[in-house]
Amino acid sequence: MQNQSININYQEFSSIDELNAEDRELACAAIEGMKGSYAPYSHFNVGAAVRMSNGQIVRGANQENAAFPSGLCAERTAMFAAGAKYPDKDMQSIAVAGGVYGRITDEPATPCGACRQVMAQYQAKSGKPMSVIMVGGKKIWKFEKVDDILPLIFDSI
Ligand code: THU
């Protein structure tokens, strides 16, 4: 038996102003995207934004439903819209932000497991790393690739 470990590296920023111009634009789009949230049950408004290889940004927001499993997270809403709109382009980066009643949380918004799995799929489709930016009001985390937030990825059978 051998003990093993997995090391995850990421960058932490204390303000959106510290991000490079592209990431700042994407983070702001995710925050703006929160306005598209329909969350009458949780009142937790989440916005996401995907940067495509053609420079376009596609936004998404969580959409809830009285039949709970029928709703969808902001990240998947954004990725599925991006995939449908630009099927031949790569998803280079995704940003996510969230907050109760539209007020952004201080801590970064962290994607659920199902959204991470969908990110993994689009990253594998493109064959290039897809960075993930988790935005909070007082802290922002940037991960260079989906593997960093979903170690030991299941990517095909
Ligand atoms: N939600 C997201 O949109 N993204 C996540 O990664 C986690 C959760 C949404 C789903 C639901 O509408 C609300 O947040 C509360 O869970």
Side-chain angles (χ1 to χ4, degrees), residues 22-38:
E22 282 202 342
D23 290 346
R24 187 163 53 242
E25 184 186 23
L26 200 65
C28 288
I31 295 169
E32 190 67 20
M34 288 167 64
K35 293 180 185 158
S37 165
Y38 174 55

PDB file of all heavy atoms in Angstrom, residues 22-38:
ATOM      1  N   GLU A  22      -9.725  39.922 -19.970  1.00  0.00           N
ATOM      2  CA  GLU A  22     -10.691  38.911 -20.450  1.00  0.00           C
ATOM      3  C   GLU A  22     -11.455  38.284 -19.288  1.00  0.00           C
ATOM      4  O   GLU A  22     -12.669  38.099 -19.353  1.00  0.00           O
ATOM      5  CB  GLU A  22      -9.953  37.809 -21.229  1.00  0.00           C
ATOM      6  CG  GLU A  22      -9.573  38.206 -22.634  1.00  0.00           C
ATOM      7  CD  GLU A  22      -9.340  36.994 -23.534  1.00  0.00           C
ATOM      8  OE1 GLU A  22      -9.140  35.881 -23.007  1.00  0.00           O
ATOM      9  OE2 GLU A  22      -9.351  37.183 -24.763  1.00  0.00           O
ATOM     10  N   ASP A  23     -10.711  37.920 -18.241  1.00  0.00           N
ATOM     11  CA  ASP A  23     -11.364  37.285 -17.094  1.00  0.00           C
ATOM     12  C   ASP A  23     -12.282  38.258 -16.362  1.00  0.00           C
ATOM     13  O   ASP A  23     -13.344  37.880 -15.856  1.00  0.00           O
ATOM     14  CB  ASP A  23     -10.309  36.717 -16.128  1.00  0.00           C
ATOM     15  CG  ASP A  23      -9.589  35.509 -16.724  1.00  0.00           C
ATOM     16  OD1 ASP A  23     -10.075  34.971 -17.738  1.00  0.00           O
ATOM     17  OD2 ASP A  23      -8.540  35.120 -16.184  1.00  0.00           O
ATOM     18  N   ARG A  24     -11.866  39.511 -16.326  1.00  0.00           N
ATOM     19  CA  ARG A  24     -12.704  40.526 -15.674  1.00  0.00           C
ATOM     20  C   ARG A  24     -14.027  40.676 -16.425  1.00  0.00           C
ATOM     21  O   ARG A  24     -15.098  40.746 -15.834  1.00  0.00           O
ATOM     22  CB  ARG A  24     -11.946  41.866 -15.621  1.00  0.00           C
ATOM     23  CG  ARG A  24     -12.653  42.932 -14.813  1.00  0.00           C
ATOM     24  CD  ARG A  24     -11.719  44.070 -14.428  1.00  0.00           C
ATOM     25  NE  ARG A  24     -11.036  44.637 -15.574  1.00  0.00           N
ATOM     26  CZ  ARG A  24      -9.721  44.622 -15.743  1.00  0.00           C
ATOM     27  NH1 ARG A  24      -8.935  44.086 -14.854  1.00  0.00           N
ATOM     28  NH2 ARG A  24      -9.177  45.173 -16.812  1.00  0.00           N
ATOM     29  N   GLU A  25     -13.921  40.685 -17.750  1.00  0.00           N
ATOM     30  CA  GLU A  25     -15.130  40.805 -18.582  1.00  0.00           C
ATOM     31  C   GLU A  25     -16.056  39.612 -18.341  1.00  0.00           C
ATOM     32  O   GLU A  25     -17.283  39.760 -18.223  1.00  0.00           O
ATOM     33  CB  GLU A  25     -14.726  40.867 -20.057  1.00  0.00           C
ATOM     34  CG  GLU A  25     -15.897  41.093 -20.995  1.00  0.00           C
ATOM     35  CD  GLU A  25     -15.521  41.007 -22.474  1.00  0.00           C
ATOM     36  OE1 GLU A  25     -14.507  40.366 -22.803  1.00  0.00           O
ATOM     37  OE2 GLU A  25     -16.264  41.551 -23.300  1.00  0.00           O
ATOM     38  N   LEU A  26     -15.451  38.413 -18.228  1.00  0.00           N
ATOM     39  CA  LEU A  26     -16.266  37.208 -18.022  1.00  0.00           C
ATOM     40  C   LEU A  26     -16.888  37.199 -16.631  1.00  0.00           C
ATOM     41  O   LEU A  26     -18.064  36.843 -16.459  1.00  0.00           O
ATOM     42  CB  LEU A  26     -15.397  35.954 -18.236  1.00  0.00           C
ATOM     43  CG  LEU A  26     -16.168  34.674 -18.531  1.00  0.00           C
ATOM     44  CD1 LEU A  26     -16.904  34.775 -19.872  1.00  0.00           C
ATOM     45  CD2 LEU A  26     -15.249  33.458 -18.523  1.00  0.00           C
ATOM     46  N   ALA A  27     -16.121  37.604 -15.636  1.00  0.00           N
ATOM     47  CA  ALA A  27     -16.640  37.658 -14.257  1.00  0.00           C
ATOM     48  C   ALA A  27     -17.799  38.655 -14.170  1.00  0.00           C
ATOM     49  O   ALA A  27     -18.829  38.382 -13.537  1.00  0.00           O
ATOM     50  CB  ALA A  27     -15.521  38.051 -13.291  1.00  0.00           C
ATOM     51  N   CYS A  28     -17.636  39.793 -14.828  1.00  0.00           N
ATOM     52  CA  CYS A  28     -18.716  40.799 -14.820  1.00  0.00           C
ATOM     53  C   CYS A  28     -19.952  40.266 -15.538  1.00  0.00           C
ATOM     54  O   CYS A  28     -21.088  40.530 -15.110  1.00  0.00           O
ATOM     55  CB  CYS A  28     -18.255  42.096 -15.481  1.00  0.00           C
ATOM     56  SG  CYS A  28     -17.087  43.013 -14.464  1.00  0.00           S
ATOM     57  N   ALA A  29     -19.747  39.484 -16.604  1.00  0.00           N
ATOM     58  CA  ALA A  29     -20.881  38.895 -17.332  1.00  0.00           C
ATOM     59  C   ALA A  29     -21.614  37.888 -16.444  1.00  0.00           C
ATOM     60  O   ALA A  29     -22.842  37.781 -16.497  1.00  0.00           O
ATOM     61  CB  ALA A  29     -20.394  38.237 -18.619  1.00  0.00           C
ATOM     62  N   ALA A  30     -20.868  37.152 -15.628  1.00  0.00           N
ATOM     63  CA  ALA A  30     -21.498  36.192 -14.711  1.00  0.00           C
ATOM     64  C   ALA A  30     -22.337  36.935 -13.668  1.00  0.00           C
ATOM     65  O   ALA A  30     -23.475  36.542 -13.359  1.00  0.00           O
ATOM     66  CB  ALA A  30     -20.436  35.321 -14.042  1.00  0.00           C
ATOM     67  N   ILE A  31     -21.787  38.014 -13.139  1.00  0.00           N
ATOM     68  CA  ILE A  31     -22.531  38.823 -12.145  1.00  0.00           C
ATOM     69  C   ILE A  31     -23.784  39.417 -12.788  1.00  0.00           C
ATOM     70  O   ILE A  31     -24.886  39.358 -12.234  1.00  0.00           O
ATOM     71  CB  ILE A  31     -21.628  39.928 -11.558  1.00  0.00           C
ATOM     72  CG1 ILE A  31     -20.477  39.306 -10.749  1.00  0.00           C
ATOM     73  CG2 ILE A  31     -22.442  40.897 -10.707  1.00  0.00           C
ATOM     74  CD1 ILE A  31     -19.388  40.290 -10.343  1.00  0.00           C
ATOM     75  N   GLU A  32     -23.606  39.950 -13.982  1.00  0.00           N
ATOM     76  CA  GLU A  32     -24.738  40.516 -14.737  1.00  0.00           C
ATOM     77  C   GLU A  32     -25.761  39.414 -15.028  1.00  0.00           C
ATOM     78  O   GLU A  32     -26.978  39.630 -14.977  1.00  0.00           O
ATOM     79  CB  GLU A  32     -24.200  41.113 -16.043  1.00  0.00           C
ATOM     80  CG  GLU A  32     -25.190  41.940 -16.829  1.00  0.00           C
ATOM     81  CD  GLU A  32     -25.606  43.240 -16.152  1.00  0.00           C
ATOM     82  OE1 GLU A  32     -24.880  43.710 -15.265  1.00  0.00           O
ATOM     83  OE2 GLU A  32     -26.704  43.741 -16.496  1.00  0.00           O
ATOM     84  N   GLY A  33     -25.244  38.218 -15.302  1.00  0.00           N
ATOM     85  CA  GLY A  33     -26.105  37.081 -15.620  1.00  0.00           C
ATOM     86  C   GLY A  33     -27.047  36.714 -14.483  1.00  0.00           C
ATOM     87  O   GLY A  33     -28.104  36.108 -14.712  1.00  0.00           O
ATOM     88  N   MET A  34     -26.680  37.058 -13.254  1.00  0.00           N
ATOM     89  CA  MET A  34     -27.542  36.767 -12.095  1.00  0.00           C
ATOM     90  C   MET A  34     -28.939  37.362 -12.280  1.00  0.00           C
ATOM     91  O   MET A  34     -29.923  36.841 -11.748  1.00  0.00           O
ATOM     92  CB  MET A  34     -26.914  37.320 -10.802  1.00  0.00           C
ATOM     93  CG  MET A  34     -25.682  36.553 -10.323  1.00  0.00           C
ATOM     94  SD  MET A  34     -24.758  37.457  -9.036  1.00  0.00           S
ATOM     95  CE  MET A  34     -25.951  37.523  -7.697  1.00  0.00           C
ATOM     96  N   LYS A  35     -29.005  38.433 -13.059  1.00  0.00           N
ATOM     97  CA  LYS A  35     -30.308  39.094 -13.273  1.00  0.00           C
ATOM     98  C   LYS A  35     -31.265  38.215 -14.061  1.00  0.00           C
ATOM     99  O   LYS A  35     -32.477  38.433 -14.046  1.00  0.00           O
ATOM    100  CB  LYS A  35     -30.101  40.425 -13.997  1.00  0.00           C
ATOM    101  CG  LYS A  35     -29.371  41.453 -13.155  1.00  0.00           C
ATOM    102  CD  LYS A  35     -29.197  42.771 -13.917  1.00  0.00           C
ATOM    103  CE  LYS A  35     -28.354  43.744 -13.103  1.00  0.00           C
ATOM    104  NZ  LYS A  35     -27.732  44.775 -13.937  1.00  0.00           N
ATOM    105  N   GLY A  36     -30.722  37.211 -14.774  1.00  0.00           N
ATOM    106  CA  GLY A  36     -31.573  36.312 -15.542  1.00  0.00           C
ATOM    107  C   GLY A  36     -32.085  35.139 -14.728  1.00  0.00           C
ATOM    108  O   GLY A  36     -32.840  34.298 -15.227  1.00  0.00           O
ATOM    109  N   SER A  37     -31.670  35.086 -13.456  1.00  0.00           N
ATOM    110  CA  SER A  37     -32.071  33.967 -12.598  1.00  0.00           C
ATOM    111  C   SER A  37     -33.578  33.961 -12.333  1.00  0.00           C
ATOM    112  O   SER A  37     -34.196  35.007 -12.102  1.00  0.00           O
ATOM    113  CB  SER A  37     -31.319  34.084 -11.259  1.00  0.00           C
ATOM    114  OG  SER A  37     -31.908  33.248 -10.288  1.00  0.00           O
ATOM    115  N   TYR A  38     -34.138  32.749 -12.352  1.00  0.00           N
ATOM    116  CA  TYR A  38     -35.537  32.569 -11.941  1.00  0.00           C
ATOM    117  C   TYR A  38     -35.499  31.575 -10.789  1.00  0.00           C
ATOM    118  O   TYR A  38     -35.350  30.370 -10.996  1.00  0.00           O
ATOM    119  CB  TYR A  38     -36.366  32.032 -13.108  1.00  0.00           C
ATOM    120  CG  TYR A  38     -37.792  31.686 -12.739  1.00  0.00           C
ATOM    121  CD1 TYR A  38     -38.634  32.623 -12.138  1.00  0.00           C
ATOM    122  CD2 TYR A  38     -38.286  30.412 -12.993  1.00  0.00           C
ATOM    123  CE1 TYR A  38     -39.941  32.297 -11.799  1.00  0.00           C
ATOM    124  CE2 TYR A  38     -39.601  30.073 -12.654  1.00  0.00           C
ATOM    125  CZ  TYR A  38     -40.414  31.020 -12.054  1.00  0.00           C
ATOM    126  OH  TYR A  38     -41.708  30.698 -11.715  1.00  0.00           O
TER     127      TYR A  38
END
